[in-house]
Amino acid sequence: MDRRDFIRNSAMGAATVAAARLSLGKEGLAQAAPTEGDGLTWSKAPCRFCGTGCHVQVGVKGGKVVSIQGDAKAEVNKGLLCVKGYHVGLALYGKDRLTKPLLRKNGKLEPISWDEAIEIIAKRAMKNPAGFAIYGSGQWTIPEGYAANKIIKAGLATNQIDPNARLCMASAVTGFLSTYGVDEPAGCYDDLDRADVVILWGNNPAEMHPVLFSRIVDRRSKGENVVVIDLGTRKTRSSGFCQHVFTMKPHGDLAIALGIMHLLVESGTYDKEFVEKYCNFRQRTDPPTLDGKAMTFEEFKASLKEYTPEKVQQLSGVAAKDIRLLAGLFGKKDLRITSLWCMGMNQHTRGTAINDLVHGVHLLSGHFGKPGDAPTSLTGQPSACGTVREVGTLAHGLPGGLVVAKDEHRKEAEAIWNLPAGRINAKPGYHTVDMWKRFSTPKSKGGDIDTIWVQVTNPAQSLPNVNALVEPSRKDPDKFLIVSDVYPTRTAMIADLVLPSAMWVEKNGMVGNSERRTQQWFKMVPPPGDARDDCWQLIAVAHKLLELGHPGMKDKDGKWLFHTEKDGKEVPIWDWKHYYDVNVDERLFEEYRKFSRFKHKDLAPYQEYVKARGMRWPVVQQKDGTWRETKFRFSKFDDPYVTKGDVQFYHSVTKDDRALIWFHPYEAPPEVPDADYPFWLCTGRVIEHWHTGSITMRIPQLHGAMPQAYVELHRDDAKALGVQNGEIVVLESRRGSVELPAWIDGRGQPPPGSVFVPFFDETILVNKVTLEAHDPLSKQPDYKKCAVRVKKKPPKVAAVGKG
Amino acid sequence: MDRTVHVGIAVALFTTAAGFFGGIRGTAADTASISTHARPVASTVASARSYADARARRYGPNAGMYDGVFEKMAEDHADLNAPVNQTDEDRAATLAKRASRRAFDGAPPTIPHRIGQQGPLDCVACHGTGLKIGALVAPKMSHQQFSSCTQCHATKDDPRPGAPAVAKPDNEFAGLKAWGRGSRAWDGAPPTIPHPTAMRGDCTSCHGWFGGQGLKTPHPWRQSCTQCHVPDAMNDQHPAAGLSAVSLESGQNLGPGGALP
């Protein structure tokens, strides 16, 4: 019996049980009163929030979501959720859902029809395609991102598309590309069940990836021993579960990784066999590139020489003995060590470097390629991997890990999309910070982006230095901002055109989580009012462009880019009434799937994902016709694409099946506290809220537990400033300031001279204060460190009287 | 016998003796007469003459904190065979209180008291075995295998001391209510379990000693609940229940505004 039969039989079994119940009910269950469970159906969906990718069971009754359970069949979360996940059903029902398209007329947003809205967008793109950009998201579903990417890359042929994921995991991507030649982790969450040691590199999973964190620490309840080590710039909820908490200075991670490598090499405890078989050494060039230039082991060793434990202590603030402790752990071959990281290493002006170095520590010590022994990066959004990294919704990317700059990649894409040769533009579009800078610069001064269509994200709150990147565009009549969203976010409220979107289980969807797992769900409830799917919005605009005569909307045979047939007849999917006549998600996914073979990121047919709680790519068809997922990439025991050796990096940059161990020197952050701005500022999240809080702040239970942003102050600093708990302080950088209440010994504990502010609160816009300096390769900004001053807000002075 | 037992006996003997001699020295009334304080609590404010006295004669604002506590705790561990008297009104009141702490039946309850914000918490001190002192109940947790409590349970109120009040958001979610009673095949048959059992591995959390009035089992001496009470496979993610069966067919046409059939 294959899986499909099993499921069909189970469904039949359930029907039989139900029928039996009904027949019994006639006699035996005469007194059974109607219960709350009557009419309730349960269906699977991945959670809407973070990149962990938990599955939930959604309870639907009367066309509304009424209940959520953790999905017991899901391997990721095994029936457990976090406080956001349990409340994800409430995401749909905030009272101020957007339900009508709105156009700004004389400064006021006023309702218009969908037809008008779609036409306005298409005409902006028609008038100046080169200045028309789409700013997307790691919360886009895979089909949404794919449709947007196709419109921009195959249709307008401008490459002006970039996602908010640029702000959250671009450095992880460049780290994987420069080390392995191909993106995304080799390991998976199963590593967390096997690791003896877990190192948190600037990571607070107890709040940010709670289900994965309890997957680690709950092993202790079963009597297992797992050592968790916290390397962070402040103490967090995770720290309390750790055997070792090493508080480092900002950028201390670079020094620590170099210090570990130095000791491994000096003491000879590095894994000689692994390094000789599977690794090359690399150093960077000026200007830096992903390929760098070769160096010998001897040169590598010499470069590390200065990073003695004592020097590293000086640079990082972590004691020399603790550096030795870490190096000692990596020097032990029988231990299994997993490194976890997320924003701490990615939102870093040396993000690519620190990602390379942590991969390098694992490769150098041979802690790679066995379950529990892996460098594993985590993502913050539900489809940062699925939609952004795999569909390639980046200014330089194409689906399946291809890039616009390479001739052969463009040719492959043109073949799949059936485009005339040369349609795809070889020049990458603008990355996020650049795109918004140009949008906020007048046309006369080189601001060549005049329209941005934002979907599923909230840049007016989440971009760094919003005063410079967003605000100026709102005063420039040439600039037109379109926002598709579900709530009146900060970005929606300053937009020129607002489109109401369907969200989560109000539409079909697919996403991909941090461990290469692709997930699928079906629409379960109708969206409110006139809200419509983001994917439909994109397709409707593409069809309007076709009607307006844009030549790029046709393939080389003159067919529309999104031409869809059923039973030999065209289905007008651009017409909302007919959008669900076919499963558009399935059609787009089947087309997109063709791209997944180039980089061995093989995806199975859509229907396989319908049956599963997600599958990890490469998903390869077996001789018996079944589809098998891959847990551990590059390792012979699990990865079907390994053809020689125990480990094979088959996308190696150096084309010799070897990964690269990089040397990057320690470098200080671009802005360091001084006499005028004496504090470090770090920004981040709390467990209750997700991203800009546009959803979670509308959920009473989450809002109740954390209704407002705050600044965490160390007790000594608070004393010196004369600030008490709850008192309002002014936090100011060279770019802007915010006023917010102080919290001493609060959720986290920054060391003296350092403060922390969560960014979820749109009323306290900490991104007026942050710095837009970014990594030279990944272009990802650093939200984790800049210099600020903090002072107690002076009491309101009464109007001066006559005395 | 090992050393700890000897030490234990010695401590017990000493305590008994000290308590006896301490006790005969005088009563609270005696000492009150020599107190110079005129405040109402003065009857208990007195310098203890021995450490044994100190235990009995607390002073300060929390002097009465433990008055009768241990007796009350003992009361709640009454005879297993004592009849359980509870009414439909009790049940309704308990369910209403339960509902006030949850977004829907099955959601993790919010925490109605202050908690520490950092690190692993000492939730198990009270919620490990459950605790009841008078009307105050710390329910026993029904999923002891989990250790990161704040992963699922958030505080009901703003945890920041001195923070300014912020208006609550308006949300129209109407969550599943408590499921009502289980069904009985005939009068006197054991009722089925009318709610999912996920995260509710320990029935005594709600139906045991510290359970809400109206939900308590009338036979607390029985240990194996599912011997007689069966859960509903459909609501309990049972593999045979065909969960997600509604989602299995591809290309369902829900219609642009349609819901599932």
Side-chain angles (χ1 to χ4, degrees):
Chain A
M1 188 162 77
D2 74 5
R3 213 165 157 177
R4 183 171 288 183
D5 282 341
F6 171 72
I7 287 164
R8 196 178 297 131
N9 291 349
S10 332
M12 279 168 64
T16 319
V17 170
R21 249 189 230 151
L22 283 175
S23 61
L24 233 176
K26 278 180 196 154
E27 305 149 22
L29 291 179
Q31 57 173 309
T35 75
E36 184 71 9
D38 293 345
L40 183 67
T41 59
W42 293 102
S43 311
K44 65 145 191 176
C47 177
R48 171 65 180 76
F49 294 117
C50 78
T52 301
C54 299
H55 262 91
V56 300
Q57 281 288 332
V58 186
V60 173
K61 194 176 156 178
K64 301 251 180 193
V65 175
V66 295
S67 185
I68 297 291
Q69 290 188 38
D71 192 330
K73 284 186 201 153
E75 282 172 277
V76 170
N77 53 308
K78 303 175 168 80
L80 189 64
L81 297 172
C82 77
V83 68
K84 288 183 296 297
Y86 282 113
H87 292 94
V88 63
L90 283 73
L92 275 48
Y93 301 108
K95 202 171 178 183
D96 54 347
R97 273 295 292 269
L98 296 170
T99 56
K100 280 187 165 30
L102 304 168
L103 178 69
R104 194 170 296 280
K105 292 176 183 164
N106 304 320
K108 242 184 88 194
L109 285 171
E110 288 178 14
I112 56 163
S113 72
W114 269 111
D115 286 346
E116 289 173 273
I118 295 298
E119 192 161 334
I120 290 168
I121 301 172
K123 281 185 172 162
R124 293 283 312 185
M126 198 70 193
K127 193 173 141 204
N128 180 19
F132 182 90
I134 293 184
Y135 183 65
S137 164
Q139 298 161 60
W140 254 340
T141 66
I142 289 168
E144 286 163 2
Y146 181 74
N149 214 12
K150 194 172 178 184
I151 292 173
I152 294 289
K153 307 258 165 76
L156 300 179
T158 58
N159 298 335
Q160 296 303 356
I161 179 172
D162 217 43
N164 66 358
R166 177 77 74 179
L167 312 174
C168 85
M169 38 100 282
S171 299
V173 177
T174 48
F176 282 110
L177 289 176
S178 54
T179 302
Y180 309 101
V182 65
D183 188 22
E184 296 200 33
C188 63
Y189 298 160
D190 296 43
D191 289 318
L192 306 176
D193 305 331
R194 287 294 307 278
D196 302 303
V197 179
V198 177
I199 301 178
L200 311 176
W201 294 82
N203 194 17
N204 177 15
E207 290 197 78
M208 308 324 157
H209 297 87
V211 167
L212 298 182
F213 189 67
S214 60
R215 188 161 167 173
I216 301 166
V217 297
D218 288 347
R219 287 171 57 196
R220 293 171 180 164
S221 310
K222 292 186 258 175
E224 292 177 41
N225 186 22
V226 52
V227 174
V228 188
I229 301 175
D230 181 24
L231 288 176
T233 56
R234 90 190 226 275
K235 284 185 187 144
T236 66
R237 266 195 183 164
S238 303
S239 313
F241 292 84
C242 295
Q243 280 88 341
H244 301 285
V245 179
F246 301 144
T247 304
M248 64 185 178
K249 296 180 194 169
H251 272 206
D253 44 7
L254 292 164
I256 293 167
L258 287 162
I260 295 170
M261 285 180 166
H262 166 86
L263 287 171
L264 287 169
V265 169
E266 288 299 316
S267 63
T269 50
Y270 73 99
D271 191 330
K272 290 183 194 71
E273 195 193 334
F274 189 91
V275 169
E276 276 166 21
K277 273 181 161 167
Y278 307 124
C279 304
N280 288 319
F281 291 91
R282 218 64 170 176
Q283 58 188 319
R284 69 179 198 208
T285 50
D286 190 23
T289 64
L290 282 179
D291 291 353
K293 67 175 183 201
M295 74 195 298
T296 64
F297 174 72
E298 290 312 316
E299 287 166 337
F300 178 73
K301 188 175 173 180
S303 305
L304 289 171
K305 200 148 191 76
E306 60 175 303
Y307 296 99
T308 61
E310 290 67 30
K311 171 81 182 290
V312 172
Q313 173 172 343
Q314 204 189 334
L315 294 171
S316 70
V318 174
K321 70 174 174 47
D322 297 331
I323 305 300
R324 291 197 173 92
L325 180 147
L326 290 165
L329 291 172
F330 277 103
K332 287 197 181 108
K333 307 266 187 302
D334 53 342
L335 281 179
R336 299 205 173 184
I337 306 177
T338 290
S339 287
L340 290 181
W341 69 93
C342 197
M343 293 309 120
M345 270 171 46
N346 295 346
Q347 293 179 340
H348 198 302
T349 48
R350 288 287 170 267
T352 309
I354 184 61
N355 271 269
D356 284 346
L357 290 174
V358 171
H359 290 301
V361 166
H362 276 265
L363 293 168
L364 188 64
S365 60
H367 285 285
F368 187 94
K370 296 183 287 294
D373 237 6
T376 293
S377 89
L378 302 173
T379 48
Q381 301 189 80
S383 202
C385 283
T387 304
V388 173
R389 291 158 76 162
E390 292 157 29
V391 177
T393 55
L394 293 145
H396 65 277
L398 286 167
L402 308 182
V403 294
V404 295
K406 289 192 180 165
D407 295 345
E408 64 274 22
H409 287 189
R410 289 197 309 281
K411 275 188 194 128
E412 300 283 10
E414 283 163 356
I416 291 175
W417 283 337
N418 194 34
L419 301 175
R423 168 75 69 77
I424 299 173
N425 194 332
K427 196 180 153 213
Y430 302 128
H431 64 81
T432 294
V433 171
D434 207 9
M435 179 197 287
W436 286 92
K437 235 177 218 166
R438 287 164 187 274
F439 187 59
S440 281
T441 304
K443 202 164 237 174
S444 55
K445 292 185 181 156
D448 54 358
I449 294 291
D450 61 21
T451 305
I452 296 184
W453 184 1
V454 176
Q455 279 200 322
V456 219
T457 186
N458 187 9
Q461 186 173 343
S462 60
L463 283 170
N465 196 4
V466 287
N467 281 342
L469 294 185
V470 182
E471 302 303 330
S473 75
R474 304 297 73 219
K475 292 165 198 135
D476 184 339
D478 288 341
K479 309 287 179 171
F480 195 76
L481 180 61
I482 306 160
V483 174
S484 301
D485 212 321
V486 298
Y487 287 114
T489 62
R490 226 189 108 73
T491 315
M493 287 297 88
I494 59 171
D496 299 293
L497 178 62
V498 179
L499 306 177
S501 292
M503 76 181 291
W504 196 45
V505 296
E506 293 167 353
K507 61 186 182 187
N508 291 342
M510 296 188 86
V511 289
N513 80 350
S514 304
E515 57 162 357
R516 297 176 273 109
R517 184 186 291 274
T518 311
Q519 301 157 303
Q520 177 276 347
W521 76 92
F522 282 121
K523 175 176 179 171
M524 299 171 204
V525 297
D530 284 337
R532 296 180 184 182
D533 300 23
D534 292 291
C535 197
W536 172 82
Q537 297 172 21
L538 292 159
I539 287 171
V541 167
H543 196 266
K544 185 60 74 179
L545 281 165
L546 177 79
E547 289 170 21
L548 294 173
H550 193 289
M553 293 299 136
K554 287 180 183 169
D555 68 9
K556 69 179 180 197
D557 299 328
K559 267 189 186 161
W560 180 43
L561 293 180
F562 296 96
H563 178 81
T564 304
E565 284 183 12
K566 191 181 179 184
D567 307 326
K569 273 168 62 185
E570 180 166 27
V571 183
I573 56 169
W574 62 89
D575 180 352
W576 177 241
K577 285 197 292 295
H578 294 283
Y579 184 66
Y580 274 87
D581 286 359
V582 289
N583 186 341
V584 175
D585 267 31
E586 182 169 11
R587 299 299 180 101
L588 292 174
F589 186 77
E590 291 300 333
E591 182 183 302
Y592 157 57
R593 205 161 77 76
K594 296 176 193 157
F595 284 93
S596 69
R597 302 305 166 86
F598 296 117
K599 299 277 180 180
H600 301 93
K601 301 182 178 188
D602 308 29
L603 298 168
Y606 182 87
Q607 288 301 323
E608 295 299 313
Y609 297 98
V610 171
K611 292 185 281 184
R613 300 299 191 269
M615 280 189 285
R616 289 167 275 196
W617 57 256
V619 188
V620 178
Q621 193 164 29
Q622 305 298 288
K623 284 192 182 115
D624 63 0
T626 58
W627 295 82
R628 178 191 179 275
E629 64 167 2
T630 304
K631 293 180 185 176
F632 303 96
R633 257 170 118 200
F634 310 134
S635 290
K636 185 182 158 193
F637 73 92
D638 196 48
D639 185 341
Y641 286 119
V642 171
T643 53
K644 61 171 193 186
D646 289 334
V647 173
Q648 185 185 6
F649 298 104
Y650 45 74
H651 280 291
S652 165
V653 174
T654 38
K655 313 271 187 240
D656 56 359
D657 293 337
R658 289 162 179 262
L660 301 182
I661 299 175
W662 282 75
F663 171 78
H664 293 279
Y666 170 83
E667 282 165 291
E671 188 179 78
V672 174
D674 54 19
D676 291 338
Y677 296 90
F679 286 92
W680 283 111
L681 166 68
C682 179
T683 67
R685 281 187 41 217
V686 292
I687 185 169
E688 292 89 349
H689 293 297
W690 194 72
H691 273 216
T692 58
S694 57
I695 301 172
T696 51
M697 283 290 265
R698 288 175 167 85
I699 296 178
Q701 285 73 15
L702 301 175
H703 180 277
M706 191 55 75
Q708 193 188 36
Y710 52 82
V711 54
E712 278 171 12
L713 279 178
H714 189 274
R715 184 161 284 272
D716 296 348
D717 291 331
K719 204 169 172 184
L721 294 164
V723 172
Q724 303 276 354
N725 249 329
E727 283 188 322
I728 305 294
V729 301
V730 182
L731 187 81
E732 193 180 5
S733 73
R734 292 180 175 87
R735 295 154 295 279
S737 72
V738 282
E739 292 180 4
L740 71 181
W743 198 6
I744 303 148
D745 290 340
R747 181 63 61 82
Q749 213 169 21
S754 177
V755 302
F756 174 87
V757 178
F759 79 103
F760 66 83
D761 188 345
E762 65 177 11
T763 65
I764 295 172
L765 267 190
V766 72
N767 280 328
K768 287 182 173 173
V769 181
T770 50
L771 184 67
E772 78 269 37
H774 49 74
D775 180 88
L777 284 169
S778 72
K779 318 294 183 195
Q780 179 169 357
D782 188 334
Y783 293 84
K784 298 291 184 185
K785 40 194 108 65
C786 70
V788 296
R789 56 183 169 221
V790 182
K791 53 183 189 234
K792 192 168 167 173
K793 190 187 177 188
K796 268 193 188 144
V797 182
V800 181
K802 286 175 188 166
Chain B
M1 268 202 291
D2 65 9
R3 195 179 139 76
T4 43
V5 178
H6 286 292
V7 173
I9 290 172
V11 169
L13 285 174
F14 173 78
T15 314
T16 315
F20 175 75
F21 291 113
I24 59 170
R25 276 213 189 140
T27 62
D30 295 336
T31 50
S33 64
I34 56 166
S35 166
T36 54
H37 296 281
R39 289 186 301 168
V41 289
S43 64
T44 54
V45 178
S47 54
R49 291 172 202 169
S50 72
Y51 286 115
D53 280 358
R55 175 84 180 76
R57 302 200 183 117
R58 288 180 172 274
Y59 46 86
N62 292 325
M65 192 167 147
Y66 294 106
D67 285 354
V69 163
F70 299 103
E71 291 80 355
K72 279 199 177 109
M73 283 172 72
E75 266 171 38
D76 285 316
H77 279 97
D79 183 4
L80 274 176
N81 294 303
V84 177
N85 295 314
Q86 47 190 4
T87 63
D88 284 353
E89 289 73 39
D90 291 338
R91 188 172 184 278
T94 297
L95 291 179
K97 191 173 169 195
R98 246 184 127 258
S100 73
R101 291 181 181 157
R102 286 162 173 78
F104 55 92
D105 195 79
T110 52
I111 304 167
H113 55 76
R114 278 262 157 101
I115 59 164
Q117 287 295 315
Q118 295 169 9
L121 305 171
D122 296 326
C123 310
V124 285
C126 296
H127 297 283
T129 54
L131 186 69
K132 184 176 180 191
I133 302 172
L136 196 66
V137 178
K140 182 183 180 185
M141 58 167 102
S142 57
H143 36 260
Q144 303 262 2
Q145 69 272 37
F146 299 116
S147 45
S148 182
C149 307
T150 47
Q151 170 180 328
C152 303
H153 300 279
T155 53
K156 182 168 170 290
D157 298 314
D158 191 347
R160 301 168 303 149
V166 181
K168 286 228 173 197
D170 217 347
N171 192 299
E172 296 176 320
F173 175 80
L176 202 66
K177 297 192 196 68
W179 293 55
R181 295 178 193 272
S183 63
R184 293 175 197 262
W186 69 90
D187 198 20
T192 60
I193 300 172
H195 56 73
T197 57
M199 308 301 283
R200 288 157 155 163
D202 188 338
C203 306
T204 62
S205 292
C206 298
H207 302 293
W209 284 115
F210 307 128
Q213 194 67 9
L215 300 181
K216 286 182 183 173
T217 171
H219 40 258
W221 60 89
R222 294 209 190 275
Q223 303 288 306
S224 179
C225 311
T226 48
Q227 170 186 331
C228 303
H229 303 281
V230 293
D232 184 322
M234 198 63 195
N235 293 328
D236 224 20
Q237 302 193 30
H238 192 278
L243 252 188
S244 296
V246 288
S247 296
L248 283 177
E249 295 306 317
S250 70
Q252 283 188 88
N253 183 10
L254 297 178
L260 276 169

